[in-house]
Short mmCIF file of all heavy atoms in Angstrom, two decimals:
data_model
loop_
_atom_site.label_atom_id
_atom_site.label_comp_id
_atom_site.label_asym_id
_atom_site.label_seq_id
_atom_site.Cartn_x
_atom_site.Cartn_y
_atom_site.Cartn_z
N SER Q 192 111.60 119.35 116.71
CA SER Q 192 112.32 118.57 117.73
C SER Q 192 111.63 117.24 117.99
O SER Q 192 112.28 116.21 118.17
CB SER Q 192 112.42 119.38 119.02
OG SER Q 192 111.12 119.70 119.53
N GLU Q 193 110.28 117.25 118.00
CA GLU Q 193 109.54 116.01 118.21
C GLU Q 193 109.77 115.03 117.06
O GLU Q 193 109.89 113.82 117.26
CB GLU Q 193 108.03 116.30 118.34
CG GLU Q 193 107.65 117.04 119.61
CD GLU Q 193 107.62 118.54 119.39
OE1 GLU Q 193 108.40 119.04 118.54
OE2 GLU Q 193 106.86 119.23 120.08
N LEU Q 194 109.84 115.59 115.85
CA LEU Q 194 110.05 114.76 114.66
C LEU Q 194 111.41 114.07 114.70
O LEU Q 194 111.51 112.86 114.46
CB LEU Q 194 109.93 115.64 113.41
CG LEU Q 194 109.94 114.95 112.05
CD1 LEU Q 194 108.74 114.03 111.91
CD2 LEU Q 194 109.92 116.00 110.94
N PHE Q 195 112.45 114.84 115.04
CA PHE Q 195 113.79 114.26 115.11
C PHE Q 195 113.91 113.29 116.29
O PHE Q 195 114.52 112.23 116.17
CB PHE Q 195 114.84 115.37 115.24
CG PHE Q 195 115.29 115.93 113.93
CD1 PHE Q 195 114.75 117.11 113.44
CD2 PHE Q 195 116.24 115.26 113.17
CE1 PHE Q 195 115.16 117.62 112.21
CE2 PHE Q 195 116.66 115.76 111.94
CZ PHE Q 195 116.11 116.95 111.46
N ALA Q 196 113.33 113.65 117.43
CA ALA Q 196 113.42 112.79 118.61
C ALA Q 196 112.77 111.44 118.36
O ALA Q 196 113.33 110.38 118.69
CB ALA Q 196 112.75 113.48 119.81
N GLY Q 197 111.58 111.45 117.77
CA GLY Q 197 110.90 110.20 117.47
C GLY Q 197 111.67 109.36 116.47
O GLY Q 197 111.79 108.13 116.64
N SER Q 198 112.20 110.00 115.45
CA SER Q 198 112.96 109.28 114.41
C SER Q 198 114.20 108.63 115.00
O SER Q 198 114.55 107.49 114.64
CB SER Q 198 113.35 110.24 113.29
OG SER Q 198 112.20 110.83 112.70
N LEU Q 199 114.88 109.32 115.90
CA LEU Q 199 116.11 108.78 116.47
C LEU Q 199 115.82 107.71 117.54
O LEU Q 199 116.52 106.70 117.61
CB LEU Q 199 116.94 109.91 117.08
CG LEU Q 199 117.49 110.94 116.07
CD1 LEU Q 199 118.21 112.07 116.79
CD2 LEU Q 199 118.43 110.27 115.07
N LEU Q 200 114.79 107.94 118.34
CA LEU Q 200 114.46 106.95 119.37
C LEU Q 200 113.89 105.67 118.77
O LEU Q 200 113.83 104.64 119.43
CB LEU Q 200 113.46 107.54 120.37
CG LEU Q 200 114.06 108.51 121.38
CD1 LEU Q 200 112.95 109.15 122.22
CD2 LEU Q 200 115.06 107.82 122.30
N GLY Q 201 113.48 105.74 117.51
CA GLY Q 201 113.02 104.53 116.83
C GLY Q 201 114.07 103.45 116.74
O GLY Q 201 113.76 102.28 116.52
N ILE Q 202 115.33 103.83 116.94
CA ILE Q 202 116.42 102.85 116.91
C ILE Q 202 116.25 101.80 118.01
O ILE Q 202 116.86 100.74 117.96
CB ILE Q 202 117.79 103.55 117.03
CG1 ILE Q 202 118.92 102.62 116.57
CG2 ILE Q 202 118.03 104.02 118.46
CD1 ILE Q 202 120.27 103.31 116.48
N SER Q 203 115.39 102.11 119.00
CA SER Q 203 115.10 101.13 120.05
C SER Q 203 114.49 99.86 119.47
O SER Q 203 114.46 98.82 120.12
CB SER Q 203 114.15 101.73 121.09
OG SER Q 203 112.92 102.12 120.49
N VAL Q 230 103.19 114.02 116.68
CA VAL Q 230 104.33 113.97 115.76
C VAL Q 230 105.40 113.03 116.29
O VAL Q 230 105.98 112.22 115.55
CB VAL Q 230 104.92 115.38 115.55
CG1 VAL Q 230 106.25 115.31 114.80
CG2 VAL Q 230 103.93 116.26 114.80
N PHE Q 231 105.66 113.10 117.58
CA PHE Q 231 106.63 112.21 118.22
C PHE Q 231 106.19 110.75 118.08
O PHE Q 231 106.99 109.88 117.73
CB PHE Q 231 106.79 112.57 119.69
CG PHE Q 231 107.66 111.62 120.47
CD1 PHE Q 231 109.03 111.62 120.31
CD2 PHE Q 231 107.09 110.72 121.37
CE1 PHE Q 231 109.84 110.74 121.02
CE2 PHE Q 231 107.88 109.85 122.09
CZ PHE Q 231 109.26 109.84 121.91
N ILE Q 233 104.12 109.35 115.87
CA ILE Q 233 104.13 108.89 114.47
C ILE Q 233 105.55 108.61 114.01
O ILE Q 233 105.84 107.55 113.44
CB ILE Q 233 103.47 109.95 113.56
CG1 ILE Q 233 101.97 110.04 113.85
CG2 ILE Q 233 103.70 109.61 112.09
CD1 ILE Q 233 101.30 111.24 113.22
N SER Q 234 106.45 109.57 114.24
CA SER Q 234 107.84 109.39 113.79
C SER Q 234 108.51 108.23 114.52
O SER Q 234 109.27 107.46 113.92
CB SER Q 234 108.63 110.69 113.99
OG SER Q 234 108.60 111.11 115.34
N LEU Q 235 108.24 108.10 115.81
CA LEU Q 235 108.79 106.98 116.58
C LEU Q 235 108.28 105.64 116.03
O LEU Q 235 109.07 104.71 115.80
CB LEU Q 235 108.40 107.11 118.04
CG LEU Q 235 108.66 105.89 118.93
CD1 LEU Q 235 110.16 105.64 119.07
CD2 LEU Q 235 108.01 106.05 120.30
N SER Q 236 106.98 105.53 115.79
CA SER Q 236 106.39 104.27 115.34
C SER Q 236 106.93 103.86 113.98
O SER Q 236 107.24 102.69 113.75
CB SER Q 236 104.86 104.40 115.28
OG SER Q 236 104.32 104.67 116.55
N SER Q 238 109.80 104.89 112.42
CA SER Q 238 111.23 104.59 112.52
C SER Q 238 111.44 103.25 113.22
O SER Q 238 112.26 102.43 112.79
CB SER Q 238 111.94 105.71 113.28
OG SER Q 238 113.31 105.42 113.47
N HIS Q 239 110.70 103.04 114.29
CA HIS Q 239 110.79 101.78 115.05
C HIS Q 239 110.47 100.59 114.16
O HIS Q 239 111.10 99.53 114.27
CB HIS Q 239 109.84 101.84 116.23
CG HIS Q 239 109.98 100.73 117.20
ND1 HIS Q 239 109.42 99.47 116.99
CD2 HIS Q 239 110.61 100.65 118.41
CE1 HIS Q 239 109.70 98.69 118.00
NE2 HIS Q 239 110.42 99.38 118.88
N PHE Q 242 113.57 99.65 112.11
CA PHE Q 242 114.61 99.01 112.93
C PHE Q 242 114.15 97.66 113.46
O PHE Q 242 114.96 96.77 113.70
CB PHE Q 242 115.01 99.92 114.09
CG PHE Q 242 115.86 101.08 113.67
CD1 PHE Q 242 115.39 102.38 113.70
CD2 PHE Q 242 117.16 100.87 113.24
CE1 PHE Q 242 116.18 103.45 113.31
CE2 PHE Q 242 117.97 101.93 112.83
CZ PHE Q 242 117.47 103.22 112.88
N ALA Q 470 105.49 113.02 108.18
CA ALA Q 470 106.28 112.52 109.31
C ALA Q 470 106.70 111.08 109.10
O ALA Q 470 107.82 110.69 109.45
CB ALA Q 470 105.47 112.65 110.61
N PHE Q 473 109.60 111.10 106.55
CA PHE Q 473 110.81 111.67 107.14
C PHE Q 473 111.47 110.69 108.09
O PHE Q 473 112.69 110.44 108.01
CB PHE Q 473 110.48 112.97 107.87
CG PHE Q 473 111.67 113.61 108.53
CD1 PHE Q 473 112.50 114.46 107.82
CD2 PHE Q 473 111.97 113.34 109.87
CE1 PHE Q 473 113.62 115.03 108.43
CE2 PHE Q 473 113.09 113.91 110.48
CZ PHE Q 473 113.91 114.75 109.75
N SER Q 474 110.69 110.13 109.01
CA SER Q 474 111.27 109.21 109.99
C SER Q 474 111.78 107.94 109.34
O SER Q 474 112.81 107.39 109.75
CB SER Q 474 110.23 108.87 111.07
OG SER Q 474 109.06 108.32 110.49
N ALA Q 475 111.09 107.47 108.29
CA ALA Q 475 111.57 106.29 107.57
C ALA Q 475 112.91 106.58 106.88
O ALA Q 475 113.81 105.73 106.88
CB ALA Q 475 110.54 105.85 106.53
N VAL Q 477 115.18 108.78 107.86
CA VAL Q 477 116.19 108.85 108.91
C VAL Q 477 116.59 107.44 109.35
O VAL Q 477 117.78 107.13 109.50
CB VAL Q 477 115.68 109.67 110.11
CG1 VAL Q 477 116.65 109.56 111.29
CG2 VAL Q 477 115.47 111.12 109.73
N ALA Q 478 115.60 106.59 109.53
CA ALA Q 478 115.87 105.22 109.96
C ALA Q 478 116.70 104.48 108.92
O ALA Q 478 117.64 103.74 109.27
CB ALA Q 478 114.55 104.48 110.20
N ILE Q 481 120.37 105.72 109.04
CA ILE Q 481 121.09 105.18 110.20
C ILE Q 481 121.37 103.69 110.03
O ILE Q 481 122.48 103.21 110.30
CB ILE Q 481 120.28 105.42 111.49
CG1 ILE Q 481 120.15 106.91 111.77
CG2 ILE Q 481 120.93 104.71 112.68
CD1 ILE Q 481 119.24 107.24 112.94
#
Side-chain angles (χ1 to χ4, degrees):
S192 60
E193 291 93 330
L194 188 63
F195 274 99
S198 301
L199 294 176
L200 284 173
I202 198 172
S203 60
V230 170
F231 174 73
I233 292 168
S234 57
L235 169 67
S236 298
S238 176
H239 189 280
F242 285 111
F473 178 86
S474 57
V477 172
I481 295 174

